[in-house]
Amino acid sequence: MAFLVDAQDAADGTHASAPHPLAPLTAAEIEAAASAVKAAKGLGETARFVYVSLYEPSKHEVVAFEAGGDAPKRLVKVVIREREEHATYEGIVSLPDGAIADYKRVAGVQPSVMFEEFMAAEDIVRKDPRWQEAMRKRGIANFDLCMIDPWSTPNVEPGVGPDDGRFVSPLTWVRDDPDDNGYAHPVDGVVTKVDLDTLTVVSVEDYGVVPVPKKKANYSTAKISDPENVPHFPEGPRQDVKPLDIAQHEGPGFHVDGYHLTWQKWDLRIGFTAREGLVLHRISYDKRSIVHRVSLSEMFVPYGDPGPTHYRKLVLDEGEYGIGLLTNSLELGCDCLGEIAYLDGVVNDNDGKAVTLPNAICLHEEDHGIAWKHTDFRTGYVEVRRMRRMVISSIVTVGNYEYAYYWYLYQDGTIEYEVKLTGVISNGAVKPGQQPEHGVVVAPGVYGPHHQHFFNVRLDMAVDGTSNRVYEVTPTADPAGPENPVGNAWRAKEVLIADETMARREADPLAGRFWKITNDNVKNELGQPVGYKLMPQHVIRPFAHPGSAVARRAPFMFSPLWVTAYDRDELFATGDYPNQAAGGAGLPAFAARERNLTDTDVVLWFTFGTNHVARPEDWPVMPVHPIGFKLLPSGFFVGNPSLDNPQPGGDHCHHD
Ligand code: CU
């Protein structure tokens, strides 16, 4: 059973009529802001709206508002590509009056690739005689069956900097028929470049014919029994899967009012932006604040194959496309199971109109195994409790790949973030009998080039308030000697990350290093500063050579953790305009300010990822690969916060 939630965000408490300052923009607000800019600046058809997003009030304005103060001004940030002028503008519009608070040209940048450009690039390549000739050489006659994916154009070689033009570099796959999975048939060796301002094909490079793989790789139930399919299941779908129903006879345990979510002791606000997708704000437990804002700040997927079709595949999926725009509409019983509530995502199109993405965010509860247990083996007395978690999720499709994002809130105060990678691997073709050096063959003639996935999450913390500090904690052996006579001693060595000269932190997974965010002005009953710890998981090393153009593209990946001081305008690990950028914006620039990080408002930027060496089992659609990290209370509470979880139903679960 599902219930839909009214997208109108009701006010809370004392602010009866105003929306909460962090409520996502409504469709009307998006359109009002775009119209106001158009009118004030006399914009015509060539002015394209890249982003229309809430310009969030600063943390202190939100805190003041929640304490009963005035609502901060409702501000909207617009990013515009003026196609005719080959120029980028950004502005701030205040609502409801539509006054233009700021409007300026931003030199030397390329904003994200717009959805209309994504589609237009495909159309104009399809009509290009050079590309058509390359297809004919490969025996492809029906160009309508070609899928031309506009991969971004990284600034890793001359001629593609932000002032050189506005580019994408489409690659081609071809379907057998309109319902076929076209990614089974990569057209290797043909790379095109499109100028998005002029909508012209700049170049078509043909590195020679590699036969287009013929085997089908469909994943629909109707087609998996086809003997031509790789893999194929002659019996069709398995018959021994019995129904598994999640029943919550009294309805869900959470409550949602607009974008305000409460669940047991948790309280938070949900946001959604065109660039980041899902955002969580103001996460608190038992009315104590933990987090001001968390979001995925950037993704980087560098391919490790030097072949001509693949070496430019160095995508910053979020900064170059906007993953909010690519969010799926979720379906009951498919994407989430149980008692579900959905929230819509509202984004802009490139004309400045609003687009509602229905059911973009899924809210539901899950049983998550046991929370804790102890058996007193002498008396036979057993106590066990179940763990419940609140799940807030969304799924995006970036071309061939799917990323499913999950925030989990647990009854013991844990916050977890998980990304499930799935979809179709980006691939290439190999000649029969050839073994690629930088990839793995996954089907006859098809290989998956090695690649890495990096995810950077911005954690704007507020542990019992905004005066926080961060310690790096490294379990370390004591030296051998009279104080350590049998050599067993070790301690949890703490180093204060005092200021931004210490902003970049390395992981030490074998030591189990973690980072602790504390508020030294607030002590628990044991006299310890209250804190949360970031437990890193899935930390990987970049294979891009330091100093290389690839490395400059995403310097954040060279340190799994960065700590910076809070600034409302520092939201993205690669800066505001990573598309075609030369590098240096984002975290290196933020940290270069050398601000204080002690007893102040701190932001952690954590990067995790996976080195994807494809498996044949990843074909044709990849089993989900989950990776992520946790924030655990560490002295935030005294004792196990889930000790008060109720006993599970039925007498059989506990006995004495
Ligand atoms: Cu992958």
Side-chain angles (χ1 to χ4, degrees):
M1 189 193 126
F3 59 92
L4 290 172
V5 174
D6 185 354
Q8 287 304 313
D9 203 341
D12 24 23
T14 51
H15 306 91
S17 59
H20 188 279
L22 295 172
L25 291 181
T26 62
E29 287 178 320
I30 287 173
E31 296 189 354
S35 301
V37 183
K38 281 184 196 172
K41 298 294 161 189
L43 304 181
E45 284 294 294
T46 57
R48 311 309 298 156
F49 285 82
V50 184
Y51 290 124
V52 179
S53 41
L54 178 67
Y55 185 54
E56 290 172 19
S58 70
K59 196 185 290 189
H60 79 261
E61 288 176 297
V62 176
V63 171
F65 169 82
E66 289 182 349
D70 291 339
K73 262 196 169 164
R74 191 84 171 149
L75 300 177
V76 180
K77 184 170 179 177
V78 294
V79 175
I80 290 168
R81 181 67 184 172
E82 179 54 78
R83 189 169 282 157
E84 203 113 282
E85 290 176 37
H86 306 275
T88 302
Y89 290 85
E90 57 180 45
I92 305 282
V93 186
S94 86
L95 291 180
D97 54 324
I100 311 298
D102 188 26
Y103 194 76
K104 58 175 189 272
R105 184 171 173 157
V106 190
V109 302
Q110 286 296 343
S112 312
V113 177
M114 289 178 268
F115 194 69
E116 65 178 15
E117 293 174 322
F118 206 93
M119 304 314 286
E122 177 156 25
D123 282 345
I124 64 165
V125 170
R126 206 188 304 281
K127 292 183 186 120
D128 186 88
R130 294 161 293 178
W131 174 86
Q132 292 182 347
E133 180 54 28
M135 293 306 114
R136 276 191 215 99
K137 266 199 215 167
R138 289 158 174 83
I140 299 164
N142 186 348
F143 305 138
D144 290 337
L145 290 173
C146 291
M147 317 189 318
I148 306 159
D149 282 2
W151 285 72
S152 64
T153 305
N155 186 2
V156 295
E157 53 197 347
V160 289
D163 291 325
D164 294 321
R166 175 163 172 78
F167 304 120
V168 285
S169 300
L171 299 172
T172 307
W173 285 260
V174 59
R175 301 179 199 268
D176 279 351
D177 59 71
D179 297 326
D180 186 37
N181 170 16
Y183 290 119
H185 318 291
V187 178
D188 213 289
V190 180
V191 183
T192 60
K193 189 160 104 183
V194 171
D195 187 311
L196 296 171
D197 279 336
T198 58
L199 290 175
T200 52
V201 180
V202 181
S203 61
V204 177
E205 300 164 25
D206 188 343
Y207 293 93
V209 175
V210 182
V212 177
K214 291 267 183 291
K215 283 282 183 191
K216 290 181 183 297
N218 289 305
Y219 40 80
S220 66
T221 297
K223 293 184 173 174
I224 57 168
S225 52
D226 178 352
E228 286 302 299
N229 209 63
V230 177
H232 86 279
F233 296 86
E235 310 286 324
R238 54 185 78 181
Q239 301 296 319
D240 52 357
V241 181
K242 303 289 183 212
L244 194 161
D245 298 319
I246 310 292
Q248 290 184 268
H249 303 294
E250 297 174 22
F254 60 88
H255 181 73
V256 64
D257 177 11
Y259 287 78
H260 180 204
L261 171 67
T262 51
W263 178 69
Q264 296 185 15
K265 297 178 188 185
W266 291 98
D267 188 307
L268 64 152
R269 301 199 59 88
I270 294 165
F272 190 86
T273 73
R275 179 156 167 175
E276 303 156 285
L278 187 55
V279 179
L280 304 185
H281 303 278
R282 309 295 296 157
I283 306 176
S284 67
Y285 185 100
D286 234 354
K287 300 189 166 45
R288 293 172 62 194
S289 89
I290 301 166
V291 164
H292 176 66
R293 185 186 199 275
V294 285
S295 63
L296 184 65
S297 118
E298 189 53 280
M299 295 166 54
F300 186 40
V301 193
Y303 281 71
D305 184 337
T309 323
H310 305 285
Y311 76 86
R312 299 182 187 96
K313 288 158 66 168
L314 303 164
V315 269
L316 294 157
D317 284 305
E318 180 172 319
E320 290 183 321
Y321 298 106
I323 55 170
L325 299 165
L326 305 175
T327 299
N328 293 183
S329 286
L330 303 174
E331 286 199 33
L332 184 65
C334 310
D335 299 294
C336 315
L337 217 53
E339 290 281 342
I340 311 294
Y342 293 106
L343 297 175
D344 293 342
V346 185
V347 295
N348 62 287
D349 74 6
N350 307 127
D351 292 320
K353 294 272 181 260
V355 177
T356 297
L357 307 169
N359 297 0
I361 300 165
C362 175
L363 308 175
H364 76 293
E365 287 174 281
E366 281 178 1
D367 178 271
H368 191 64
I370 61 165
W372 54 266
K373 175 170 188 170
H374 183 59
T375 300
D376 185 324
F377 72 90
R378 290 190 174 80
T379 63
Y381 179 75
V382 183
E383 287 282 358
V384 62
R385 299 290 182 276
R386 301 297 300 171
M387 177 62 89
R388 191 78 67 85
R389 66 182 183 185
M390 179 74 218
V391 188
I392 304 140
S393 64
S394 67
I395 304 177
V396 308
T397 301
V398 190
N400 52 292
Y401 232 78
E402 261 73 17
Y403 297 97
Y405 306 111
Y406 298 83
W407 285 101
Y408 302 114
L409 306 173
Y410 292 87
Q411 289 168 308
D412 66 354
T414 299
I415 300 171
E416 181 178 9
Y417 185 61
E418 186 174 66
V419 180
K420 292 181 183 173
L421 295 86
T422 180
V424 186
I425 55 168
S426 177
N427 52 38
V430 278
K431 290 182 174 148
Q434 224 174 46
Q435 290 302 325
E437 287 178 51
H438 301 93
V440 176
V441 172
V442 295
V446 183
Y447 81 107
H450 302 328
H451 58 279
Q452 300 187 278
H453 295 267
F454 293 95
F455 300 88
N456 179 274
V457 177
R458 181 180 181 274
L459 299 158
D460 179 352
M461 301 300 293
V463 177
D464 262 337
T466 52
S467 174
N468 287 175
R469 49 167 76 182
V470 183
Y471 291 95
E472 181 165 277
V473 185
T474 310
T476 307
D478 281 11
E483 303 296 314
N484 185 14
V486 300
N488 67 310
W490 63 275
R491 60 189 70 212
K493 211 170 136 189
E494 295 195 348
V495 174
L496 174 69
I497 303 169
D499 59 46
E500 287 178 339
T501 64
M502 302 174 72
R504 301 177 66 138
R505 311 311 306 173
E506 302 312 316
D508 189 350
L510 296 185
R513 173 177 290 168
F514 61 88
W515 295 281
K516 197 162 76 174
I517 307 102
T518 65
N519 186 330
D520 283 51
N521 300 321
V522 182
K523 301 283 193 324
N524 64 24
E525 291 156 44
L526 304 171
Q528 302 154 337
V530 295
Y532 256 75
K533 65 180 184 180
L534 166 57
M535 293 300 290
Q537 294 176 69
H538 305 287
V539 170
I540 55 167
R541 168 193 310 134
F543 297 117
H545 281 274
S548 65
V550 180
R552 284 196 297 277
R553 199 161 159 67
F556 72 85
M557 67 181 165
F558 284 91
S559 298
L561 183 75
W562 297 62
V563 187
T564 63
Y566 168 80
D567 183 322
R568 76 196 287 199
D569 292 317
E570 295 177 355
L571 286 175
F572 306 110
T574 49
D576 288 350
Y577 297 100
N579 188 16
Q580 290 177 242
L587 281 172
F590 306 158
R593 297 173 68 182
E594 300 190 355
R595 291 164 292 189
N596 170 49
L597 296 175
T598 308
D599 301 331
T600 185
D601 204 344
V602 296
V603 178
L604 287 81
W605 309 72
F606 178 62
T607 300
F608 61 97
T610 179
N611 296 332
H612 195 171
V613 177
R615 301 176 296 151
E617 290 85 349
D618 288 340
W619 192 250
V621 61
M622 188 182 145
V624 292
H625 180 64
I627 53 174
F629 67 93
K630 285 178 181 165
L631 287 168
L632 303 180
S634 179
F636 194 77
F637 306 103
V638 170
N640 177 349
S642 63
L643 207 64
D644 62 348
N645 280 12
Q647 289 176 342
D651 286 340
H652 57 283
C653 287
H654 82 113
H655 27 245
D656 45 320

